[in-house]
Amino acid sequence: MMRRKGLVAILDGLLAYTVAFTAIGLVALLSTTAQEANLKTTYTLNVWAEDLADAVGMSLTDGAEDPTRWLDPDSIGDEKEAEIREALTASLGRIEARLGVQIRVEAGADTIYGDRLAGVGESATAKRFLVSSGGSVSVLKVEVGI
Amino acid sequence: MKRKGYIFSLFVFFMFVSVFIVAATHAKSVSVLEESNYDRVSLMKASNVIRNLRNAVDYGTLCAVGVDASGSPVASETGAVRTVEDAGMPFEIDVGCSLAVATVTVTTPAGDEYVLKIPS
Amino acid sequence: MDMKMRSKSGKRGQVFAIDVLFSILPVMMILGASLQYAYLGEEQMKILSADSQRQGAMQALSEHVMAEYRSSPDGQPYVTAEPDYACGGLKDAIGNAPGMPQGYEYHVRVEMPSSSEEHICLDDELWSHGGTQLLDAYYVGMESSTRLPGASGIRFMLEYDEEGRPIPGQIAGVSFTVWDADPADYAKT
């Protein structure tokens, strides 16, 4: 490279720094703008998952008992459990179609609605505790993906 | 000729440095937003789980009363609801047992603690 | 002070010559474009900030109703398909909400699995304009030619039967919407 002197050297240096700053700046701007859009989606999906977890949990009761005590499906009578599953399938299916999301609900060892989420960009999970008649604790998991 | 270029390139330089500064401040504000969003989401989930625990779980599920070597009763955790941080529970749940009360402490990553006491 | 500079070799030259101005022209164009861009950016920021406020008002409303629902022992304000009571609880909850931000209209719509109709809980007129497709995404900002901008969100509750007990598995969607109040109407109150 030719050695440049004086003011021209300063100008060259400025040009080099300018290009560097601009390039870094543009890359940073592009990536952070994408990040920001994710924030609202994350919050929204979590709100939905939490709401649905509460609603499903409240459904998992054996009519006669305390409705605030949420039961593992194994501890609910078969007939009652079938009713609950049917109602949930209808409700959650409607919600999935309306919102364009995928929902999966696992209660204890069973999956009571949905399959593994496939092709989702982002998902949120909500968990609650269920008790079984033997006194042990299992987990209700609701996943919502979009 | 050289001096004309001097002013021109100074203008251009400062303009493009401002792009860099805008990008840097935007990146910082987005990272602050992300952190506060994470905290907000954790707080929401923690309070929901606390409410769930208060309703669903009783002393017997959390603590088992046994006897120690000298024959006096002592309470110990059953480990039923201990959990580690994961996507559905971005906080820690710790259970402490005494004969009179089971204490459930939920700690969010930001350091906020919720304490729930369940009497025996 | 004069308008001439001295070059290295001591010769004097004029700074504000036409060729200097000509060469600065691209700089001026860039400056002009960036000023315009800054102005557009500011206008955009005003819109974003108004959107954000509206979404905040909507979120506040939905959180208030959900918090009341969760904290009450009998699930008030619950939603039920029983026609006379479908939204009674919701209307009361919203009517009693303290400190709702001024300058907005608040609307609520409920969709229940056991009823094929949608129950409009506040302001029937809004929905009769065929607005059923609008309102199920959280944080959606909306505008239509007949209305000012709005924000909408959806929450979920279990549906209750007419005796006030939850019906297992029937999950109802409750849609909260906040529109900017028409200044003409707002000025009257």
Side-chain angles (χ1 to χ4, degrees):
Chain A
M1 289 217 311
M2 266 173 54
R3 271 205 62 218
R4 312 267 207 127
K5 299 199 279 197
L7 202 55
V8 182
I10 296 174
L11 294 183
D12 275 347
L14 279 183
L15 184 62
Y17 275 115
T18 300
V19 171
F21 277 131
T22 315
I24 299 172
L26 285 175
V27 166
L29 259 180
L30 283 173
S31 66
T32 53
T33 312
Q35 267 178 299
E36 203 171 342
N38 274 341
L39 291 177
K40 288 190 174 168
T41 315
T42 307
Y43 184 69
T44 305
L45 285 177
N46 273 296
V47 165
W48 284 342
E50 295 287 320
D51 275 358
L52 288 173
D54 280 335
V56 171
M58 238 190 335
S59 305
L60 291 171
T61 56
D62 197 357
E65 287 192 27
D66 176 10
T68 60
R69 201 174 167 80
W70 300 352
L71 298 171
D72 190 310
D74 294 337
S75 305
I76 304 177
D78 285 337
E79 205 183 290
K80 187 89 180 136
E81 188 188 333
E83 267 178 43
I84 297 173
R85 275 188 194 242
E86 199 186 313
L88 275 179
T89 308
S91 302
L92 292 175
R94 220 188 65 251
I95 292 170
E96 273 189 334
R98 201 49 114 97
L99 298 177
V101 297
Q102 289 182 42
I103 302 177
R104 174 183 164 84
V105 179
E106 283 172 33
D110 308 321
T111 304
I112 56 180
Y113 180 84
D115 304 311
R116 265 193 199 297
L117 303 187
V120 288
E122 196 174 337
S123 71
T125 312
K127 291 186 179 168
R128 298 284 185 272
F129 292 107
L130 304 171
V131 289
S132 64
S133 46
S136 62
V137 169
S138 57
V139 171
L140 164 70
K141 187 165 100 154
V142 173
E143 271 178 81
V144 177
I146 194 168
Chain B
M1 178 196 60
K2 288 174 194 166
R3 281 182 204 100
K4 289 175 215 164
Y6 175 55
I7 299 176
F8 171 74
S9 45
L10 262 186
F11 273 134
V12 173
F13 174 71
F14 283 129
M15 224 171 321
F16 286 135
V17 164
S18 65
V19 168
F20 180 76
I21 293 174
V22 164
T25 45
H26 192 241
K28 178 60 181 168
S29 77
V30 165
S31 83
V32 166
L33 265 179
E34 270 193 356
E35 216 176 286
S36 77
N37 197 47
Y38 183 70
D39 286 346
R40 185 168 61 146
V41 169
S42 305
L43 273 178
M44 167 180 67
K45 285 171 173 291
S47 64
N48 284 338
V49 163
I50 281 273
R51 191 178 55 239
N52 165 231
L53 282 173
R54 184 170 50 219
N55 289 331
V57 161
D58 60 14
Y59 182 86
T61 322
L62 296 173
C63 300
V65 179
V67 288
D68 66 5
S70 56
S72 48
V74 68
S76 57
E77 295 101 55
T78 56
V81 295
R82 193 168 295 273
T83 184
V84 294
E85 196 170 319
D86 70 34
M89 311 265 220
F91 42 76
E92 280 183 33
I93 303 182
D94 288 309
V95 178
C97 282
S98 75
L99 284 172
V101 68
T103 311
V104 181
T105 310
V106 174
T107 316
T108 64
D112 301 302
E113 279 183 9
Y114 288 82
V115 177
L116 171 68
K117 293 192 196 262
I118 303 176
S120 62
Chain C
M1 185 187 107
D2 59 9
M3 293 301 242
K4 297 180 196 288
M5 292 175 66
R6 290 179 183 278
S7 71
K8 260 204 186 122
S9 52
K11 290 204 187 114
R12 289 167 60 183
Q14 199 166 316
V15 174
F16 291 107
I18 192 69
D19 52 344
V20 173
L21 293 173
F22 190 67
S23 64
I24 286 184
L25 185 63
V27 179
M28 289 303 146
M29 284 170 64
I30 295 175
L31 270 178
S34 23
L35 279 174
Q36 274 194 319
Y37 186 69
Y39 171 71
L40 284 175
E42 189 177 328
E43 290 297 307
Q44 187 72 8
M45 278 314 298
K46 281 188 202 163
I47 294 176
L48 283 178
S49 141
D51 270 351
S52 169
Q53 266 194 309
R54 226 173 285 124
Q55 286 163 8
M58 180 274 293
Q59 202 185 343
L61 173 64
S62 67
E63 286 294 331
H64 169 79
V65 170
M66 294 302 288
E68 283 215 10
Y69 166 67
R70 284 175 176 149
S71 61
S72 78
D74 54 2
Q76 290 280 12
Y78 56 76
V79 296
T80 169
E82 201 247 313
D84 293 336
Y85 193 65
C87 309
L90 279 177
K91 276 187 182 157
D92 289 339
I94 294 167
N96 296 333
M100 306 231 300
Q102 299 286 332
Y104 299 112
E105 289 176 23
Y106 299 88
H107 307 275
V108 183
R109 179 187 69 162
V110 179
E111 250 184 51
M112 284 175 277
S114 59
S115 149
S116 56
E117 300 167 6
E118 283 164 355
H119 295 263
I120 296 157
C121 295
L122 282 181
D123 200 335
D124 298 356
E125 200 185 272
L126 172 67
W127 311 111
S128 64
H129 286 306
T132 54
Q133 76 281 13
L134 296 176
L135 301 167
D136 291 324
Y138 214 74
Y139 287 145
V140 162
M142 305 155 300
E143 266 184 61
S144 75
S145 54
T146 54
R147 302 286 310 190
L148 297 166
S152 164
I154 192 168
R155 303 297 294 261
F156 302 107
M157 295 176 166
L158 261 193
E159 188 185 334
Y160 281 57
D161 61 22
E162 58 274 0
E163 281 148 47
R165 285 184 318 231
I167 307 175
Q170 309 270 40
I171 303 180
V174 184
S175 197
F176 297 91
T177 311
V178 170
W179 297 96
D180 278 354
D182 193 346
D185 296 333
Y186 182 50
K188 287 181 208 154
T189 58

